[in-house]
Amino acid sequence: MNLLDHVPAAPAGRAGDRGRAVVQALHALVRAEAAAEAPAAGTEAADLEQAVWLRLLERGTASAVPADPVRWVRAAVRAEARTARRRTRRERSYTADGPPGDWAGCPERIAVGADERRALRAAVGRLPGRCPRLLEAMLAPHDPTYREIAGELGMSQGSLGPMRSRCLGCLRRMLAAEVVAPELRGKER
């Protein structure tokens, strides 16, 4: 005698009642097996349960009732747990400090970066006095040292730091003025 012996045989037109009876009969067993396998699989028991019910539904209405339901449920839960373990090993979670995936070669990222660099260089060119030459030297792709920048600009190395601070402050104020203030949201009073 197995779990489904007490399930009433449905008339020919009432296959849905038979399916509901199968679900009711197997519900406790599926829940218990999923709860037992879930911790080792690194997933939630409800996810395993759902996968097993999906497997049962994929069998079709004609063969919805397995010949040995207890063995079938155990095998299905263990197969889904193996799948979940493999998926857990393969998948990597998003990092909290950066964008998901490898965006280094993304065309959109390249275009946005180029646009930002153009806007920055244009703003640097509008700075007063010796600031444009100083910041252009600091933004050079070969990453020069303070000694090289001082030699290039003909100034003392000790005055680069304070001048850089004044130029960056001026650049911040200039860029802050160019940023559009956010519009009011909701009702205006």
Side-chain angles (χ1 to χ4, degrees):
M1 183 164 176
N2 63 29
L3 287 174
L4 299 177
D5 286 341
H6 71 281
V7 175
R14 310 266 304 173
D17 291 341
R18 175 83 174 149
R20 272 191 285 279
V22 169
V23 168
Q24 287 175 351
L26 295 178
H27 181 72
L29 179 62
V30 170
R31 177 161 285 177
E33 287 289 330
E37 291 288 332
T43 187
E44 294 185 22
D47 292 340
L48 283 179
E49 249 185 273
Q50 185 176 11
V52 170
W53 290 123
L54 183 61
R55 272 187 180 222
L56 184 66
L57 290 173
E58 286 174 344
R59 290 175 54 97
T61 57
S63 62
V65 180
D68 186 3
V70 174
R71 182 173 286 153
W72 183 89
V73 167
R74 282 187 185 141
V77 169
R78 288 180 182 155
E80 291 300 331
R82 279 191 304 274
T83 303
R85 277 192 296 274
R86 274 189 238 115
R87 189 180 326 110
T88 302
R89 262 184 269 137
R90 274 193 317 262
E91 292 177 353
R92 299 288 175 245
S93 62
Y94 293 147
T95 57
D97 57 341
D102 182 21
W103 287 59
C106 174
E108 181 180 2
R109 177 85 138 189
I110 292 169
V112 168
D115 191 36
E116 288 173 350
R117 284 188 297 278
R118 265 192 303 275
L120 177 65
R121 294 213 184 259
V124 165
R126 294 190 311 265
L127 287 172
R130 296 166 75 179
C131 288
R133 288 187 59 214
L134 173 66
L135 292 182
E136 282 295 333
M138 290 190 156
L139 289 172
H142 64 278
D143 195 27
T145 63
Y146 267 36
R147 176 176 280 172
E148 293 169 343
I149 293 171
E152 182 181 324
L153 297 177
M155 53 193 306
S156 73
Q157 188 175 342
S159 65
L160 281 181
M163 185 175 176
R164 178 183 68 82
S165 293
R166 284 191 302 273
C167 292
L168 289 177
C170 186
L171 182 63
R172 273 190 212 99
R173 285 188 299 276
M174 183 187 297
L175 291 176
E178 291 178 5
V179 174
V180 178
E183 293 181 13
L184 292 175
R185 297 178 190 251
K187 296 182 180 180
E188 293 183 32
R189 293 182 192 238

